[in-house]
Amino acid sequence: MENKQFIAISKRFDIKNVGKVTGKEIYASDVNIPGMMHAVVLRSPYPHAEIKSIDLTEAEKTGAICISRDDVPDLIYNERIVSIPDKTYKDRTVLPKDKVRHTGEAVAAVAADTEETAFKALEKIKVEYKKLPAVFDIDEAMKPDTSQLYSYVYLGDKKIDIENNIACVRNISVSDIDKGFEEADVIVEETFNVQRIYHMQLETKSTVCVPEADGGITIWTTTQGIHNVRILLGEIFNIPLHKINVKRITLGGSFGSSIQMNSITPICVALALKAKSPVKLVMPREDDIYDHASYPLRTKIKIGAKKDGTLTAGHCKVWVEIGAHNIQAYPYLGCIAGWFASLYKWINIKYEGKAVYTNKTPTCARRGYGSPQINFPVENAMDILAEKLGMDPIELRLKNYVGKGDEFWGQGPTIKSIIRSCGVEEMLVEGSKLIGWDKRIPPSEKTGDIRRGIGVARGFHTSGTGGPNPGEVIDYSGATVKINEDGSVDVVTALMDHGGGTWDVAAKVAAEVLKVPFDKVGIYNGVDTRTTVFDVNTHATRGVYCGCGAVKLAAEKVKKILLNYAATLFKDLPENLELVCNEELGQAVVYPKGLPEKYKTVGEIAKTAQIKSWGTIAYTSSLRQKNCPPCFITYFTEVEVNTKTGQIKIPRVIMMGDSGTIMNPELWKGQIIGAFSQGIGLGYIEEIPYDTNTGKLKCNGFITDFKVLTTTEMPKIDDIKVLPAHTYEPTGPFGAKGIGEAALSAVASSFGNAVYNAVGIRFYDLPITPEKMLKALKEKEEKKDKKE
Amino acid sequence: MQTDTKILAHEFEYLTPNTLNEALDMLDRYQDKNAKILAGGTDLLVKMKTINLKPDYIINIKNIQEINFITYNDDGLKIGAVTSLSQVEKSKEVKAKYSALYEAIKSMAAIAVRNMGTIAGNLCNASPAADTAPPLIAYGAEVKLANKRGERAVPVEEFLTGPGKTVISSNELLTQLNIPVLDENTGSSFLKIGRVKADIAKINIAVYLERKNNVCKSCKIVFGSVAKTPIRVKGAEDILRGQQLTSDVLTKVAEKASEEIKPITDIRSTAEYRHEIAKVMVEKAVNLAWERAGD
Ligand SMILES: Cc1cc2nc3c(=O)[nH]c(=O)nc-3n(C[C@H](O)[C@H](O)[C@H](O)COP(=O)(O)OP(=O)(O)OC[C@H]3O[C@@H](n4cnc5c(N)ncnc54)[C@H](O)[C@@H]3O)c2cc1C
């Protein structure tokens, strides 16, 4: 581990969030343009129907601007362009041309002076549908005689047929699975289901579009990556990219739901182009709930081990029910394989993945990109295996985890790198001490109405999707760093901040390299696709490792220029100079080595460079990281099951995270605690069931009936311990990896394992609601009675 | 059905009477004209946005000071129709004496909603899950209904007739709530189970009982969210009445109560679960009321 004295990194600063806590921050929905119209979207009431006709006449008579299928380009695209084109499945247009495939799919849109008048016009649109049979279940969907959502889609430029609603398939083998199971003394085989849920990001998706005089457009939108939005809009509307400007604006939460360009963005653009007027489109919550959901997963898992606990084989068959559009289930299936393969040394691996269309809301990435979904089966299966072997679950994990020096699959089979930092052992060992693992007793020894149990689970995420070789995923970032004429610094980047503090880290990295006090580094909105270089997206927990890696590179180049200028001033060589932070002056200073009293402030040097017309001290970087180091997480969760009501509380939790150097200690903790709340929600109550008769969500799109947990359901703050592993990632900026998605991966798994330890019941389907718990407890009692 | 919960696109006439007479005049005038009374609006506006309820007239009664009060004397507790849930929650008497009502209000929504919402609104909205209904029924409370020509009093138990249905006529206003003075040696309790803390009940219960010489002299047990209206489980009450509170009695009360309720499976829970936890809740709520009744 590198021992460094940092000036900004690892210190607690949060000045970049002042706008949020004072309510001054501007989000896409806050953008107001003179003459702006307001838009609303007409959505399908049916899950599957042919659009016979759309009549806009009456709506247009009100003076509103309306669009439907004839007003949007024919281009078939995928809204998520993070994968390389050859691996991108495309099945959608801006508005559906022939049929609707899920309830809530956009069919037409209206813009008017106010949202109210737009809505009234919308009510006058007449759509004639011919209802088609709809499918909601994967097994049903894959039957040959079932109603088909698509007959063909595109993979890159290639037209491919879709059969039995199977959107894509991914099979992977390593070594010899049959041999692996032959060598096994103990085998565990179970099927698990992790449900689809809604992201419940705070900000509903929003777009403002201004059509410019030269035929171009300017956009403010909810997104995790402004450049991909620009590129896609260019393709769809056939506008050259220099005429499209997407403004970077603060994100009001996303959790992965805005990796892709949002479905309403091109709708808003089409309206603005037709209206020749700025248009704002802000989704109401119910539209947002009908717009996107997380990928669910059904996993049939089979694992084998020798008597001593050495794993010999891992076989996973997974099905993902993707809903009505394929927003990149192919890389999702690849990642599931990667998460699976990189958790434990299975030695022999077989993986079979299938993504299946249904007439439900399209699914997309959500924090973890499948990691929580596959972690639940794996970490439950590991506990089952440990019990069968008569081994401690921690021992079994320590024996088999993929760690330092091992190959890590990062984001699927094409993105592999070697693990160089790993806190798994430290977290398992230290965490078990903190929770009191040695006092844990089996469920059979527990009595009373209230039963406590402790569960462990571990997981990880990649930090970005880089690697030594280019894979299926595009991954690079860029940044401009510039020293201003007073010695302060601007960081200009397209990198987005989900609220986890990525921009703070970018500023800290620049401060650290240039030895400038943190408050003299600016990273502000007002930048856009014109003024920044490409950054793929803030996804895959890549903000710090990749995005801020590019900031570091730029800052290092800037430092060189700075020292060159300083050398001219000192009539010396750059390598003879020292750059340090002078806290008293609140400035970075340069002096000839050994002569600190002869310093010149960076402000003086920059000013001189300006007056003497030497030029701006600036550099623009573009960087692809050559690794994707895993950031690890381990949860020791205690649950308290009320066997009378089935309710579950969390009295205590130990959270251990391995992010290498912790850049923002408080926000880092916040990421983990927030993820814990989200993960318990996944484990305990969240779900979005459908009424399969009507094809509508049972909650009707309202959060009244889509419940998420709040602080009330969390353990008391004193009963939450968040601790870092002591690691240093040699390939990361100042030793850092990520945390955001890793934090969610193992929460529900630890919850499930803790529930088992409390009541001796293994739950295979999430969420473990009080209703399911009570039923299971009753069944267990009945079984016991029968036996006796 | 298309909604946009960010806005109210529907147009209506907005009326703001300042006196009770004015309000009753308006109600009389607009009784057949699709008018709706607005108190806190925490149910009404939600319905206008989510289920396309489209009134042509909205009569906002919140400005009428005559019906904004909460008093307690020998006659009992009297609460005006526009008195907010928060005002009731803050009343010393309510907290000290009417535990079940206090706990019911505390369990509702969050502070912002309680600052707006009213008990009258909660009752007139007539949700089977309405949290203030079980305690009010348990206490034998009645509502005062007024129209231009006069007024009548109706027990809360008879006021609610089905989901969204009450005995109120379209020209009537619920003006006040009367809750009787509680006898010595009585105790009450309210319990609720939701999906999360701030939620509409999967099931709720209020118990009000009188304890004398360690025997339950009288009792009312009222469940919400398990039938078309909040319901009393009279069979269970019969079992408890005249008895000492033994675990045996309590088990019988619980079993009977669970038989009497008629829950359904809906988005919040299942009928099966409701039957099961009804037993647990009765036991707990009766115990709590029993302790509070002292002796
Ligand atoms: C976020 C949220 C959480 C909630 N949580 C709960 C909860 O936990 N438990 C619960 O029981 N409820 C809950 N509610 C529902 C609601 O807040 C309550 O029912 C509240 O008491 C309604 O009162 P109000 O004054 O806002 O009624 P309003 O919405 O103003 O009126 C409701 C209905 O009653 C009629 N009405 C109102 N006053 C009168 C009157 N004086 N005479 C005749 N008719 C009248 C109206 O015309 C309307 O039909 C919640 C609501 C929200 C939005």
Side-chain angles (χ1 to χ4, degrees):
Chain A
M1 195 182 134
E2 200 158 308
N3 198 3
K4 269 213 156 162
Q5 223 27 61
F6 292 127
I7 62 166
I9 284 167
S10 303
K11 304 237 157 89
R12 185 183 170 170
F13 298 119
D14 23 33
I15 50 173
K16 302 289 183 260
N17 285 317
V18 172
K20 283 189 183 166
V21 294
T22 54
K24 291 249 158 73
E25 197 71 30
I26 304 287
Y27 300 88
S29 58
D30 297 318
V31 172
N32 288 317
I33 307 291
M36 181 176 82
M37 299 172 88
H38 297 263
V40 291
V41 175
L42 182 72
R43 294 177 180 275
S44 167
Y46 305 118
H48 201 188
E50 194 186 317
I51 304 170
K52 304 280 280 183
S53 67
I54 304 176
D55 182 359
L56 303 173
T57 339
E58 291 303 310
E60 280 171 338
K61 273 187 195 159
T62 67
I65 303 294
C66 304
I67 57 164
S68 70
R69 55 185 171 183
D70 298 334
D71 303 285
V72 297
D74 290 327
L75 188 83
I76 295 175
Y77 63 92
N78 186 314
E79 52 267 68
R80 186 174 183 274
I81 54 168
V82 175
S83 300
I84 57 173
D86 278 0
K87 297 291 178 194
T88 299
Y89 287 79
K90 303 172 185 174
D91 66 16
R92 69 166 306 145
T93 46
V94 176
L95 291 170
K97 297 279 174 174
D98 52 352
K99 58 178 191 171
V100 288
R101 295 177 173 88
H102 69 97
T103 304
E105 176 144 37
V107 175
V110 178
D113 290 345
T114 66
E115 193 164 342
E116 287 78 3
T117 46
F119 189 77
K120 281 193 188 157
L122 181 97
E123 291 182 308
K124 294 191 185 335
I125 296 177
K126 291 188 201 82
V127 185
E128 207 189 321
Y129 296 98
K130 183 178 161 226
K131 284 204 247 175
L132 298 169
V135 283
F136 302 101
D137 171 82
I138 30 176
D139 297 316
E140 203 56 46
M142 287 187 291
K143 284 186 187 155
D145 47 353
T146 303
S147 161
Q148 301 285 310
L149 274 81
Y150 297 89
S151 54
Y152 67 90
V153 301
Y154 287 88
L155 174 58
D157 297 329
K158 233 175 42 218
K159 196 168 170 180
I160 56 167
D161 292 336
I162 296 292
E163 272 162 29
N164 304 334
N165 289 314
I166 295 170
C168 56
V169 173
R170 206 152 185 179
N171 297 326
I172 295 162
S173 292
V174 177
S175 307
D176 185 344
I177 193 74
D178 294 334
K179 195 177 124 257
F181 282 117
E182 269 164 32
E183 285 167 14
D185 297 315
V186 179
I187 289 174
V188 172
E189 189 172 2
E190 298 291 352
T191 302
F192 293 86
N193 278 293
V194 176
Q195 75 278 30
R196 61 158 55 211
I197 58 169
Y198 169 59
H199 295 69
M200 194 61 204
Q201 78 288 359
L202 274 184
E203 178 188 27
T204 62
K205 296 175 175 187
S206 311
T207 301
V208 174
C209 174
V210 178
E212 302 293 351
D214 66 354
I217 48 174
T218 305
I219 307 277
W220 291 259
T221 186
T222 314
T223 182
Q224 293 175 223
I226 53 177
H227 284 278
N228 281 350
V229 172
R230 180 201 223 192
I231 293 169
L232 251 179
L233 289 177
E235 276 175 33
I236 294 170
F237 292 97
N238 199 19
I239 304 174
L241 294 190
H242 73 285
K243 289 194 174 178
I244 302 177
N245 197 17
V246 182
K247 300 277 193 178
R248 195 189 77 188
I249 193 153
T250 302
L251 196 55
S254 175
F255 302 124
S257 65
S258 290
I259 293 178
Q260 66 272 17
M261 177 183 70
N262 289 319
S263 61
I264 55 151
T265 303
I267 294 175
C268 184
V269 171
L271 275 170
L273 289 174
K274 185 166 180 184
K276 299 189 171 58
S277 162
V279 172
K280 177 191 259 188
L281 208 178
V282 178
M283 279 208 222
R285 184 61 70 181
E286 61 270 31
D287 284 18
D288 205 83
I289 295 188
Y290 271 115
D291 179 70
H292 56 93
S294 70
Y295 293 112
L297 195 72
R298 181 209 285 171
T299 305
K300 212 173 143 194
I301 188 172
K302 184 178 172 190
I303 61 174
K306 291 191 182 147
K307 277 200 196 92
D308 69 353
T310 311
L311 293 172
T312 60
H315 180 186
C316 261
K317 241 179 137 166
V318 304
W319 295 261
V320 51
E321 177 267 299
I322 63 169
H325 289 293
N326 182 350
I327 311 177
Q328 284 303 57
Y330 182 77
Y332 175 79
L333 287 175
C335 281
I336 302 266
W339 313 138
F340 173 66
S342 304
L343 261 168
Y344 296 105
K345 292 175 187 154
W346 310 107
I347 316 289
N348 301 291
I349 296 175
K350 189 169 177 192
Y351 173 83
E352 299 161 90
K354 257 194 197 117
V356 185
Y357 283 116
T358 62
N359 294 107
K360 292 190 191 169
T361 302
T363 51
C364 65
R366 179 184 183 252
R367 198 173 190 174
Y369 203 41
S371 178
Q373 288 91 321
I374 189 71
N375 190 285
F376 184 71
V378 173
E379 285 294 81
N380 271 273
M382 286 298 277
D383 263 28
I384 299 171
L385 181 63
E387 191 172 335
K388 277 195 169 180
L389 289 165
M391 211 169 158
D392 186 284
I394 293 179
E395 201 189 325
L396 181 65
R397 285 173 171 82
L398 284 172
K399 200 175 176 87
N400 292 290
Y401 75 90
V402 174
K404 203 165 174 172
D406 296 330
E407 189 176 62
F408 177 72
W409 277 24
Q411 288 250 337
T414 67
I415 302 159
K416 294 185 174 174
S417 69
I418 302 297
I419 300 175
R420 293 167 166 84
S421 64
C422 172
V424 171
E425 183 171 348
E426 180 189 347
M427 295 192 291
L428 280 170
V429 172
E430 293 308 312
S432 67
K433 284 183 200 154
L434 288 167
I435 198 85
W437 187 261
D438 53 347
K439 291 186 201 79
R440 182 177 180 258
I441 54 167
S444 53
E445 290 171 28
K446 291 175 190 178
T447 53
D449 292 343
I450 306 289
R451 295 192 195 171
R452 285 197 176 190
I454 295 172
V456 67
R458 50 168 297 267
F460 58 78
H461 204 77
T462 69
S463 313
T465 64
N469 305 305
E472 288 166 1
V473 188
I474 297 164
D475 196 303
Y476 66 102
S477 285
T480 299
V481 173
K482 143 168 99 71
I483 297 182
N484 297 319
E485 295 69 24
D486 62 351
S488 65
V489 175
D490 280 329
V491 177
V492 178
T493 169
L495 186 66
M496 293 299 300
D497 186 336
H498 290 223
T502 315
W503 288 337
D504 279 87
V505 176
K508 283 183 174 185
V509 164
E512 207 62 61
V513 173
L514 296 170
K515 305 294 175 207
V516 178
F518 180 65
D519 61 0
K520 291 244 159 60
V521 182
I523 177 160
Y524 293 101
N525 283 327
V527 302
D528 48 43
T529 47
R530 265 184 201 133
T531 52
T532 61
V533 294
F534 185 84
D535 178 284
V536 67
N537 225 300
T538 300
H539 76 132
T541 306
R542 67 184 294 286
V544 168
Y545 183 76
C546 301
C548 297
V551 173
K552 183 161 181 263
L553 176 62
E556 282 163 354
K557 299 281 188 182
V558 164
K559 182 176 165 183
K560 273 203 179 134
I561 302 170
L562 171 72
L563 290 181
N564 270 328
Y565 286 172
T568 310
L569 281 178
F570 283 112
K571 300 193 173 60
D572 204 336
L573 290 170
E575 50 269 41
N576 284 343
L577 301 178
E578 196 87 61
L579 173 67
V580 300
C581 180
N582 185 322
E583 272 172 28
E584 261 164 56
L585 293 173
Q587 279 256 28
V589 298
V590 180
Y591 54 78
K593 279 179 184 161
L595 298 170
E597 66 283 0
K598 291 219 154 171
Y599 73 82
K600 286 192 191 301
T601 67
V602 169
E604 283 174 71
I605 299 166
K607 189 78 202 161
T608 311
Q610 184 217 355
I611 291 166
K612 299 204 169 179
S613 300
W614 291 346
T616 301
I617 309 173
Y619 187 84
T620 300
S621 69
S622 186
L623 175 81
R624 172 180 168 79
Q625 288 285 28
K626 308 296 185 296
N627 286 279
C628 52
C631 33
F632 295 100
I633 190 93
T634 302
Y635 286 102
F636 289 86
T637 302
E638 184 167 41
V639 298
E640 183 179 286
V641 181
N642 182 330
T643 58
K644 289 268 186 138
T645 64
Q647 289 170 307
I648 307 173
K649 283 188 192 158
I650 314 286
R652 206 159 55 106
V653 56
I654 310 290
M655 312 169 168
M656 310 278 299
D658 169 13
S659 296
T661 303
I662 314 288
M663 308 297 257
N664 277 329
E666 291 303 310
L667 293 177
W668 181 80
K669 275 189 192 174
Q671 285 286 297
I672 297 176
I673 295 172
F676 186 77
S677 171
Q678 252 183 343
I680 297 297
L682 181 73
Y684 186 40
I685 60 162
E686 287 181 40
E687 55 188 333
I688 38 168
Y690 276 78
D691 178 337
T692 49
N693 291 320
T694 60
K696 292 194 168 88
L697 285 167
K698 284 189 180 166
C699 71
N700 281 313
F702 304 127
I703 50 177
T704 320
D705 286 317
F706 173 75
K707 289 292 174 198
V708 297
L709 302 181
T710 64
T711 49
T712 326
E713 284 81 24
M714 285 288 276
K716 298 262 177 302
I717 196 74
D718 291 340
D719 300 319
I720 299 174
K721 271 209 175 64
V722 194
L723 293 163
H726 298 84
T727 55
Y728 186 91
E729 172 54 41
T731 67
F734 296 103
K737 305 190 268 188
I739 189 61
E741 291 176 272
L744 187 63
S745 62
V747 180
S749 321
S750 73
F751 177 74
N753 284 339
V755 163
Y756 179 80
N757 182 241
V759 295
I761 300 171
R762 180 74 54 190
F763 287 85
Y764 297 93
D765 298 340
L766 291 182
I768 308 170
T769 59
E771 282 76 6
K772 279 193 206 161
M773 172 63 82
L774 215 53
K775 205 169 163 186
L777 283 164
K778 214 172 156 187
E779 281 165 9
K780 196 181 172 202
E781 271 312 298
E782 281 164 7
K783 254 192 222 153
K784 212 168 94 191
D785 288 349
K786 252 188 217 156
K787 264 194 206 152
E788 275 163 9
Chain B
M1 185 194 65
Q2 185 85 29
T3 63
D4 183 346
T5 50
K6 283 194 286 141
I7 54 164
L8 268 179
H10 164 67
E11 274 172 29
F12 48 82
E13 201 75 44
Y14 184 67
L15 307 163
T16 51
N18 290 310
T19 65
L20 198 51
N21 279 339
E22 252 182 86
L24 296 179
D25 270 344
M26 285 174 184
L27 273 176
D28 201 60
R29 208 170 326 136
Y30 299 114
Q31 57 178 306
D32 304 321
K33 299 208 168 110
N34 190 21
K36 273 281 171 195
I37 294 163
L38 171 78
T42 61
D43 276 317
L44 184 67
L45 267 82
V46 174
K47 285 186 174 168
M48 287 171 69
K49 288 179 165 195
T50 59
I51 62 163
N52 259 353
L53 179 75
K54 291 181 171 174
D56 293 321
Y57 295 89
I58 285 187
I59 306 172
N60 176 6
I61 57 171
K62 269 264 167 158
N63 292 344
I64 306 174
Q65 284 315 309
E66 291 153 78
I67 49 174
N68 186 356
F69 59 83
I70 175 161
T71 62
Y72 179 77
N73 55 33
D74 297 349
D75 260 2
L77 182 68
K78 299 199 174 5
I79 302 171
V82 302
T83 310
S84 72
L85 291 162
S86 294
Q87 279 169 272
V88 180
E89 181 187 332
K90 284 186 194 118
S91 145
K92 271 197 280 313
E93 283 81 14
V94 172
K95 189 170 178 188
K97 299 191 168 68
Y98 299 88
S99 312
L101 180 62
Y102 176 75
E103 286 164 350
I105 293 175
K106 269 284 195 203
S107 83
M108 287 173 75
I111 291 167
V113 172
R114 298 205 292 271
N115 283 343
M116 296 299 291
T118 60
I119 297 183
N122 194 230
L123 293 177
C124 293
N125 183 59
S127 155
D131 284 317
T132 64
L136 292 173
I137 293 172
Y139 293 134
E142 55 179 37
V143 292
K144 222 156 110 184
L145 306 179
N147 66 16
K148 220 181 144 181
R149 275 156 283 279
E151 52 180 46
R152 57 177 174 146
V154 181
V156 175
E157 198 175 341
E158 290 162 29
F159 179 73
L160 302 163
T161 54
K165 291 205 188 94
T166 68
V167 300
I168 204 164
S169 326
S170 58
N171 67 348
E172 278 180 316
L173 187 72
L174 193 165
T175 53
Q176 94 177 46
L177 258 147
N178 296 334
I179 309 172
V181 174
L182 306 182
D183 296 327
E184 288 282 298
N185 304 322
T186 60
S188 65
S189 63
F190 172 87
L191 295 172
K192 166 176 170 180
I193 287 188
R195 290 162 294 190
V196 289
K197 171 79 179 16
D199 193 13
I200 309 295
K202 284 182 184 179
I203 179 167
N204 57 20
I205 181 176
V207 172
Y208 173 52
L209 56 78
E210 187 183 354
R211 173 178 172 182
K212 231 179 197 154
N213 303 326
N214 228 11
V215 165
C216 173
K217 249 192 92 192
S218 67
C219 67
K220 280 188 200 159
I221 304 173
V222 192
F223 276 102
S225 208
V226 292
K228 291 200 164 82
T229 63
I231 54 160
R232 276 177 68 182
V233 283
K234 293 188 178 164
E237 291 174 2
D238 288 343
I239 295 175
L240 183 58
R241 201 174 307 111
Q243 300 294 319
Q244 294 195 345
L245 195 68
T246 61
S247 68
D248 206 33
V249 169
L250 212 46
T251 308
K252 281 188 195 138
V253 170
E255 288 295 336
K256 185 72 195 169
S258 174
E259 278 168 32
E260 283 179 278
I261 60 173
K262 297 176 190 64
I264 55 164
T265 293
D266 60 16
I267 186 147
R268 293 196 298 279
S269 191
T270 61
E272 190 187 353
Y273 183 76
R274 285 170 161 133
H275 272 299
E276 274 308 311
I277 53 167
K279 297 181 212 163
V280 184
M281 293 179 81
V282 170
E283 290 194 15
K284 224 172 140 183
V286 168
N287 263 325
L288 210 58
W290 182 261
E291 277 165 30
R292 287 172 181 169
D295 204 354

